[in-house]
Amino acid sequence: MAKKAKNGIAKIHEQSLQRGNGGELHQIAEGDRARLTTAQGGPVADDQNSLRAGQRGPTLLEDFHFREKIFHFDHERIPERVVHARGYGAHGYFETYKSLSKYTRADLFQRPGEKTPAFVRFSTVAGSKGSFDLARDVRGFAVKIYTKEGNWDLVGNNIPVFFIQDAIKFPDVIHAVKPEPDRAFPQAQSAHDNFWDFISLTPESMHMIMWVMSDRAIPRSFRFMEGFGVHTFRFLDAGDKSTFVKFLWKPKLGLQSVVWNEAVKINGADPDFHRRDLWDAISSGNYPEWELCVQLFDQAFADSFDFDVLDPTKLIPEEIIKPMPVGRLVLDRMPDNFFAETEQVAFMTQNVPPGIDFSNDPLLQGRNFSYLDTQLKRLGSPNFTHIPINAPKCPFAHFQQDGHMAMRNPVGRANYQPNSWEQGPREDPIRGFRSFREAIDAPKVRLRAESFADHYSQARQFYISQTAPEQEHIAMALTFELSKCENPLIRERIVSHLLNIDERLGASVSGKLGIAEMPKPADAAVVPRRDLPPSRALSIVRNGPPSFAGRKVGVLVGTGSDTVMLEALRAALAKEGAVLEVVAPKVGGVKARDGSLIPAKHMIDGGPSVLFDAVVLLLSDEGAEALTAEAAARDFVADAFAHCKFIGFSNGAEALLLKSGVALDADEGLVYLTDTGSIARFVKACRQLRLWAREAGVKL
Ligand code: HDE
């Protein structure tokens, strides 16, 4: 053993000596590649061995290169975000459609066609940095726009309402959803007692619960999600006249989610599913795009609306105020370095340019404190704005100085103002930020307004706006989550809230959970309304895209597959803007019918159908027969069917379909592929994304 170790050491040592003596690597260092140095710039001769007293002796403290390297490594981690720890970012730009000068003096909304650089970070909320992408959770949708009058951060979510009405409850809701403090699990999941205990005691969260139990909380891709600023903000025009505004991002590729059974499997097959999706799309030039829409309204509307516009558990239905598109966001570049940009980016709700102002939403007011505070904790210095991803891209000048890691300090003698040296910047009362001059004459109180008291009416409106399959998904999600609660009282309390939203929903969840005696509806502070009409905009299925663009088809091939059909399929999908990936028994590929090699992207075990939006079984008799013996191949088919996906299949694939329990004529979601005409029919069918009519018979 000792001899072996000694030989190993000797070998590495020999290699590095070669380098030190002007070997190949050394020459590269002097040619194309930069020379390795210490952080102080000193050239390094040997980065393979620490300095030792003899070949087998102790390491010497004198080895400054070794110590510097390890010291820096030991400090690589910064605290992860207390919420939204897992995220993924991209660069792009915001393009203004038309001048909004009538409503706001915000510089970025003045000149049609102008492009302003932007950075976006998408995230989950509850999971830690290394958690999986497809947790049932809210998604963060944080946008930083580097305007000519300072950074504007619209730190939103993919859901337009929130769990709580007052920022003082935020630590409670987050503690409740995070892993329980004694056992430190479950990770990235709301399906546990603490979360549902808190929710069952917090009726104001019921509207949000409808959203997080819907498919909105398991999006197929960041690219297929809406984004919402949630709170009511203000626009201020040049004369400081105020218009209330809500911000919404609408994805160009439409909305799409996965089903829960699929989400669970995706998390195993590819925990980075959403990251990879964004990386692949942007790297291949398919830049995702969102339209920024605004809902504008005045004080008179606010006074007459059914709910308080300051209450973040309420939305304004799009049928009541139609969102007006005002620009588009295009993401066209991945960061060069994840840590430098995505991890260090510091979003802050209080970053608003002149012309945008806050409302008195108590959640927004609390956030305006939290985001600055959290950056100091995470980034460790008040100079976090010196980090390139956070620095404004417009000229800036102030007298802030010193502090840890200061990269810039005032130049010259004057570091204060006013000064008589005539040095340094001065205020600009015309272009500078001015707050809305709201008259406030009120007692200091700890009171929730009466206008915040209705917790069920909009929850019901959301529920009745869903299609039947979407309603069933909500019931199934609630059942799943509550089934993980050990305390039966918590389950019953939630059902009693559901009864205030919709009796059928309450009864369905109660039945699925096996609750023996139906609880009474929860006491409601305000009688829930039943007259709010369904809002079409709230359903994903009703707002699906008219095309299959941006989606992905997995084609299962085997020995003897037909390359002509494969290429025809690839061409038809490319024309649609969709992508084709080949799945084969071996990643090295398979021999086609014409003797050529079909290269594969995935081997069957590593490319389950949950990774695709639709699948094709392009198999010969021989290829299908061989695959019938493989569980992964049978799962590929059975899952695609159970998840209501469209399945194209060649003549030879029949054996595998049957062996996987899928009848050839099960429904119109199975498309027999014989020629280019049938391929066109298949691609057209795929535009529906899922055949929801199948679901009732599948019973996942
Ligand atoms: Fe956040 N939130 N939040 N939040 N939030 C953070 O800031 C907070 C809320 C949102 O990709 C933290 O930099 C409070 C609503 C996003 O970097 C922290 C309250 C909405 C992100 C914080 C809320 C959000 C955060 C943690 C209740 C949707 C990720 C790290 C009053 C409109 C941004 C950080 C990124 C991050 C506080 C509620 C969205 C601790 C106190 C409502 C997208 O400051």
Side-chain angles (χ1 to χ4, degrees):
M1 187 68 195
K3 190 166 175 239
K4 208 171 154 199
K6 193 178 161 195
N7 287 347
I9 289 166
K11 204 168 159 214
I12 294 167
H13 188 58
E14 209 173 274
Q15 276 176 4
S16 62
L17 277 181
Q18 273 179 10
R19 295 169 191 228
N21 289 342
E24 191 193 349
L25 269 184
H26 189 75
Q27 291 197 347
I28 291 172
E30 291 193 336
D32 304 339
R33 278 163 61 176
R35 186 156 63 188
L36 181 72
T37 70
T38 65
Q40 304 287 347
V44 172
D46 183 345
D47 192 40
Q48 315 302 324
N49 303 288
S50 52
L51 187 65
R52 287 184 280 270
Q55 280 189 22
R56 301 180 60 249
T59 303
L60 300 177
L61 203 54
E62 183 187 319
D63 188 349
F64 58 83
H65 167 54
F66 165 75
R67 276 188 294 120
E68 181 197 77
K69 187 174 175 182
I70 296 294
F71 146 82
H72 199 277
F73 169 77
D74 289 345
H75 296 270
E76 275 178 6
R77 290 290 167 274
I78 60 173
E80 65 172 33
R81 291 164 172 81
V82 59
V83 283
H84 296 266
R86 181 162 179 85
Y88 210 52
H91 293 273
Y93 59 86
F94 176 76
E95 186 177 343
T96 306
Y97 284 164
K98 53 181 163 193
S99 169
L100 293 182
S101 60
K102 200 171 144 203
Y103 305 104
T104 176
R105 66 189 175 105
D107 184 72
L108 87 156
F109 290 126
Q110 304 305 311
R111 295 164 295 277
E114 184 169 292
K115 292 182 180 171
T116 312
F119 185 80
V120 176
R121 183 174 178 274
F122 302 107
S123 49
T124 52
V125 177
S128 65
K129 204 173 153 227
S131 57
F132 39 83
D133 276 348
L134 257 165
R136 173 175 294 283
D137 201 351
V138 189
R139 297 300 182 288
F141 193 127
V143 184
K144 190 183 277 294
I145 305 183
Y146 303 89
T147 88
K148 289 183 177 146
E149 292 194 335
N151 294 346
W152 177 34
D153 293 356
L154 186 56
V155 198
N157 280 343
N158 74 331
I159 289 180
V161 290
F162 202 63
F163 291 100
I164 47 168
Q165 296 175 322
D166 189 320
I168 201 166
K169 297 310 295 168
F170 192 62
D172 298 288
V173 65
I174 297 303
H175 286 178
V177 73
K178 288 266 187 183
E180 299 189 5
D182 52 356
R183 59 211 67 188
F185 62 80
Q187 175 60 241
Q189 291 187 56
S190 51
H192 61 113
D193 285 74
N194 278 10
F195 177 70
W196 287 101
D197 183 30
F198 177 82
I199 294 298
S200 71
L201 300 168
T202 311
E204 71 202 55
S205 62
M206 284 307 139
H207 187 192
M208 180 70 166
I209 285 299
M210 287 296 103
W211 284 82
V212 285
M213 292 300 114
S214 80
D215 297 342
R216 296 267 176 168
I218 39 173
R220 153 68 176 86
S221 156
F222 298 136
R223 300 178 293 136
F224 311 151
M225 303 188 314
E226 288 178 306
F228 302 92
V230 175
H231 317 281
T232 296
F233 290 84
R234 286 180 189 274
F235 270 159
L236 297 183
D237 73 3
D240 288 346
K241 186 171 132 313
S242 155
T243 306
F244 288 119
V245 54
K246 278 190 177 271
F247 297 103
L248 301 82
W249 296 105
K250 299 271 180 189
K252 192 175 166 201
L253 292 170
L255 301 179
Q256 188 184 335
S257 285
V258 300
V259 295
W260 176 244
N261 181 275
E262 202 182 357
V264 170
K265 291 172 179 168
I266 290 172
N267 284 332
D270 185 3
D272 305 302
F273 189 66
H274 285 154
R275 290 188 168 190
R276 196 183 307 280
D277 173 87
L278 195 65
W279 174 274
D280 285 351
I282 295 179
S283 315
S284 60
N286 293 314
Y287 304 138
E289 198 175 313
W290 287 261
E291 241 174 10
L292 178 65
C293 298
V294 293
Q295 287 180 303
L296 299 175
F297 54 98
D298 58 14
Q299 189 64 52
F301 172 86
D303 295 340
S304 66
F305 182 52
D306 291 332
F307 304 97
D308 198 323
V309 298
L310 302 183
D311 175 356
T313 66
K314 306 297 185 301
L315 52 80
I316 302 178
E318 296 187 15
E319 289 78 8
I320 296 184
I321 298 184
K322 194 168 180 276
M324 171 171 77
V326 297
R328 64 181 190 131
L329 171 75
V330 179
L331 297 183
D332 60 0
R333 183 164 65 84
M334 292 310 297
D336 293 329
N337 181 277
F338 177 86
F339 180 85
E341 294 154 271
T342 309
E343 192 59 10
Q344 292 199 115
V345 65
F347 292 97
M348 301 201 288
T349 49
Q350 60 270 50
N351 282 354
V352 287
I356 300 180
D357 201 358
F358 313 110
S359 72
N360 293 335
D361 175 339
L363 207 60
L364 177 59
Q365 296 281 323
R367 293 178 74 197
N368 286 345
F369 162 72
S370 180
Y371 289 74
L372 177 62
D373 187 49
T374 209
Q375 306 315 342
L376 182 60
K377 169 74 186 171
R378 268 184 3 91
L379 299 166
S381 157
N383 292 319
F384 67 88
T385 55
H386 296 195
I387 301 172
I389 193 71
N390 295 323
K393 294 193 195 297
C394 60
F396 56 93
H398 49 71
F399 294 105
Q400 294 168 23
Q401 66 172 32
D402 303 355
H404 284 293
M405 313 289 167
M407 302 290 159
R408 296 179 217 103
N409 278 312
V411 179
R413 184 164 184 179
N415 56 357
Y416 57 92
Q417 65 102 348
N419 67 64
S420 35
W421 307 108
E422 307 237 327
Q423 281 182 4
R426 291 305 305 261
E427 310 96 307
D428 180 345
I430 308 294
R431 290 303 315 166
F433 183 87
R434 293 188 304 269
S435 299
F436 178 62
R437 291 171 67 92
E438 188 179 9
I440 298 181
D441 177 13
K444 278 188 203 167
V445 289
R446 289 185 185 271
L447 270 184
R448 215 56 81 88
E450 272 296 309
S451 51
F452 280 45
D454 178 345
H455 303 317
Y456 300 106
S457 304
Q458 278 207 345
R460 174 181 174 79
Q461 185 174 35
F462 178 79
Y463 181 72
I464 62 170
S465 303
Q466 307 302 310
T467 57
E470 289 172 302
Q471 288 187 339
E472 181 59 14
H473 293 175
I474 293 175
M476 284 175 4
L478 282 160
T479 308
F480 171 83
E481 299 262 321
L482 295 172
S483 76
K484 299 283 178 185
C485 294
E486 291 162 12
N487 184 345
L489 268 181
I490 295 175
R491 293 182 214 140
E492 286 169 24
R493 260 194 251 139
I494 294 293
V495 170
S496 69
H497 289 298
L498 298 179
L499 291 170
N500 282 341
I501 297 171
D502 185 90
E503 295 81 9
R504 283 165 310 152
L505 175 63
S508 159
V509 174
S510 167
K512 286 181 165 71
L513 285 169
I515 294 178
E517 201 180 321
M518 184 72 105
K520 286 202 185 62
D523 287 341
V526 169
V527 180
R529 291 178 57 168
R530 317 197 126 243
D531 59 334
L532 300 179
S535 161
R536 212 187 142 74
L538 300 179
S539 152
I540 296 177
V541 171
R542 292 204 168 100
N543 291 283
S547 90
F548 195 56
R551 273 67 181 179
K552 198 187 269 185
V553 174
V555 181
L556 183 60
V557 299
T559 309
S561 286
D562 183 346
T563 44
V564 177
M565 284 294 279
L566 180 64
E567 290 321 310
L569 191 60
R570 198 190 300 275
L573 286 168
K575 206 165 145 220
E576 183 76 5
V579 177
L580 178 155
E581 287 183 357
V582 172
V583 183
K586 290 184 182 163
V587 76
V590 287
K591 206 163 173 194
R593 188 163 71 186
D594 62 9
S596 65
L597 180 84
I598 305 178
K601 168 101 179 171
H602 310 269
M603 72 179 281
I604 179 74
D605 286 308
S609 61
V610 292
L611 301 182
F612 308 107
D613 298 290
V615 299
V616 170
L617 314 174
L618 203 61
L619 298 168
S620 65
D621 289 343
E622 183 195 353
E625 199 52 49
L627 284 170
T628 54
E630 296 217 27
R634 296 195 304 268
D635 286 350
F636 187 93
V637 180
D639 273 348
F641 186 77
H643 300 146
C644 303
K645 289 175 183 168
F646 287 87
I647 303 175
F649 66 99
S650 62
N651 194 19
E654 292 172 13
L656 181 61
L657 275 163
L658 295 176
K659 200 73 180 188
S660 312
V662 179
L664 302 180
D665 57 354
D667 54 42
E668 74 263 28
L670 282 120
V671 183
Y672 185 30
L673 302 179
T674 48
D675 53 13
T676 48
S678 52
I679 288 177
R681 266 204 315 284
F682 172 71
V683 174
K684 192 165 165 224
C686 286
R687 291 179 190 159
Q688 290 173 63
L689 301 177
R690 304 283 168 125
L691 185 68
W692 293 116
R694 185 189 293 157
E695 196 176 36
V698 176
K699 289 249 180 289
L700 275 171

